[in-house]
Amino acid sequence: MRIYFCSDVHASRRCWKKFLNSWKFYEADHIIIGGDITGKFVVPIVERAAGVYSATFLGIERTVQAGEELETLQTRIADAGQYSFVTTPDEYATYERDQARIDELFKKLLMARAEEWMAEADQRLKGTGVRCFVSGANDDFFEIDDVIARSEVVEDPNGTVIELEGGVELLGMGYGNPTPWACPRDIPEAELADRIDKVAAGVKNMDRAIFSLHVPPLGSGLDIAPKLDDYLRPRIGTGGMEMIPVGSTATRDAIIKYHPMVGLHGHIHESKGVKKLEGVTIANPGSEYGEGVLDGLLVDIDPKNGLRRVELVTG
């Protein structure tokens, strides 16, 4: 059995399309996104004159003409995991200093893209025999779960155990430990540990269990991220950017306690790697979604002998 695993695509259109094609490219039986499928930013594209639009994208002020130029800009924004919003100066002004209205717009655009993605998965994967698993994680609104549930082919392993062939089981957990941004599924470590324990109780054979826990184990080497100051800016020391472990004690304790076949994680984009924790192989594919690069893992499993290898791949 071969599984392709990635995480933290954060609304990147290009990464999503690569993901849907990953089973063919890597000859995978199952494909998994381990959470954080939605984006973080809206890019207003304002019509300044008839057929002339401007937007600030990736720190650069851009002016485009209606038609192909506008469509190209919108595609580039979507590929980078952001949401374009074509508007007029008068409409744009109604959003200024109205955070509730901005939040409403953001969620509307976010949900629309998620709906598009699930429809595309249904169209591309139905009848192929490949199983596709996608779940929300700490950054994703809970409404995303309902969008995934309406898909004909996408399965959501979050908070449950799903049986694969050969006695292999997939345990999913999208909740994470607290972050400075107070994300929708950030919860205290004790609560996260309790949630993992309750789901793990449904695993029949830990020797064939895949623990897809979004946040990597604390101190595992898969959880190294920039240290932030009081204004949430990376701290720069004399030796450069300060990096610290920010993983989860609940995840670490669960890996040690249950000793699953393999642990697959995400969350920390800068900390890709394959490591060992108390003899258990654990891995984080990392994320470069903003560049449209899809970082992933190939997980090869022998039904008789268990895990064969975990390999980092980039496409």
Side-chain angles (χ1 to χ4, degrees):
M1 178 195 303
R2 169 167 287 180
I3 293 171
Y4 176 79
F5 177 92
C6 64
S7 189
D8 299 82
V9 296
H10 286 294
S12 168
R13 170 186 170 274
R14 180 169 292 180
C15 286
W16 174 253
K17 290 184 177 298
K18 290 179 179 180
F19 171 71
L20 291 182
N21 197 49
S22 62
W23 67 279
K24 288 183 181 179
F25 188 83
Y26 294 113
E27 299 181 335
D29 302 291
H30 310 300
I31 57 177
I32 302 172
I33 295 182
D36 282 359
I37 65 170
T38 56
K40 301 171 181 286
F41 303 104
V42 174
V43 179
I45 303 176
V46 184
E47 187 174 19
R48 300 300 181 184
V52 180
Y53 299 83
S54 68
T56 301
F57 174 53
L58 299 179
I60 300 174
E61 181 73 23
R62 306 167 193 268
T63 301
V64 297
Q65 302 291 323
E68 184 176 349
E69 288 187 7
L70 176 59
E71 292 172 4
T72 297
L73 176 59
Q74 289 181 286
T75 297
R76 289 189 62 193
I77 291 170
D79 284 346
Q82 301 179 28
Y83 304 105
S84 63
F85 174 55
V86 179
T87 185
T88 64
D90 288 344
E91 184 182 32
Y92 180 77
T94 66
Y95 285 93
E96 292 185 318
R97 295 180 296 279
D98 190 341
Q99 191 59 49
R101 185 169 165 82
I102 293 171
D103 291 344
E104 182 181 2
L105 171 65
F106 174 67
K107 183 172 282 191
K108 176 183 177 181
L109 296 173
L110 179 152
M111 296 295 288
R113 183 164 302 171
E115 294 277 7
E116 291 170 7
W117 281 13
M118 294 304 110
E120 188 174 9
D122 289 345
Q123 181 181 26
R124 296 274 300 276
L125 298 179
K126 192 173 183 179
T128 63
V130 66
R131 292 180 73 178
C132 175
F133 303 95
V134 177
S135 64
N138 70 304
D139 272 344
D140 299 312
F141 294 115
F142 289 100
E143 291 90 335
I144 287 298
D145 298 353
D146 297 329
V147 176
I148 296 172
R150 289 193 290 271
S151 169
E152 297 179 44
V153 300
V154 179
E155 301 174 68
D156 184 357
N158 193 13
T160 190
V161 178
I162 295 177
E163 290 192 17
L164 308 179
E165 65 268 26
V168 176
E169 297 172 276
L170 173 64
L171 179 153
M173 181 56 62
Y175 285 88
N177 57 339
T179 68
W181 298 277
C183 299
R185 304 186 204 220
D186 288 355
I187 57 177
E189 290 279 13
E191 183 180 343
L192 179 57
D194 184 60
R195 285 180 176 272
I196 296 172
D197 285 340
K198 288 178 178 177
V199 180
V203 175
K204 298 176 183 176
N205 184 1
M206 286 296 172
D207 288 341
R208 294 294 182 270
I210 300 167
F211 273 30
S212 177
L213 309 177
H214 184 64
V215 181
L218 178 65
S220 62
L222 303 178
D223 65 329
I224 305 301
K227 186 176 183 179
L228 304 180
D229 63 17
D230 293 339
Y231 298 96
L232 302 183
R233 299 172 303 194
R235 292 184 58 170
I236 308 298
T238 55
M241 187 178 296
E242 297 183 36
M243 307 293 285
I244 58 172
V246 295
S248 166
T249 58
T251 298
R252 180 196 64 201
D253 294 347
I255 295 293
I256 295 172
K257 176 181 179 180
Y258 295 109
H259 215 270
M261 178 175 62
V262 65
L264 304 180
H265 314 285
H267 191 52
I268 308 301
H269 304 177
E270 308 91 339
S271 206
K272 68 165 63 178
V274 181
K275 304 286 186 179
K276 289 280 189 178
L277 177 60
E278 297 288 326
V280 178
T281 299
I282 56 174
N284 178 358
S287 177
E288 300 174 81
Y289 76 91
E291 289 74 45
V293 175
L294 186 61
D295 293 328
L297 299 167
L298 294 183
V299 182
D300 289 339
I301 300 169
D302 186 305
K304 292 183 179 180
N305 301 314
L307 184 68
R308 290 182 55 197
R309 67 166 183 165
V310 178
E311 178 184 353
L312 291 164
V313 292
T314 297

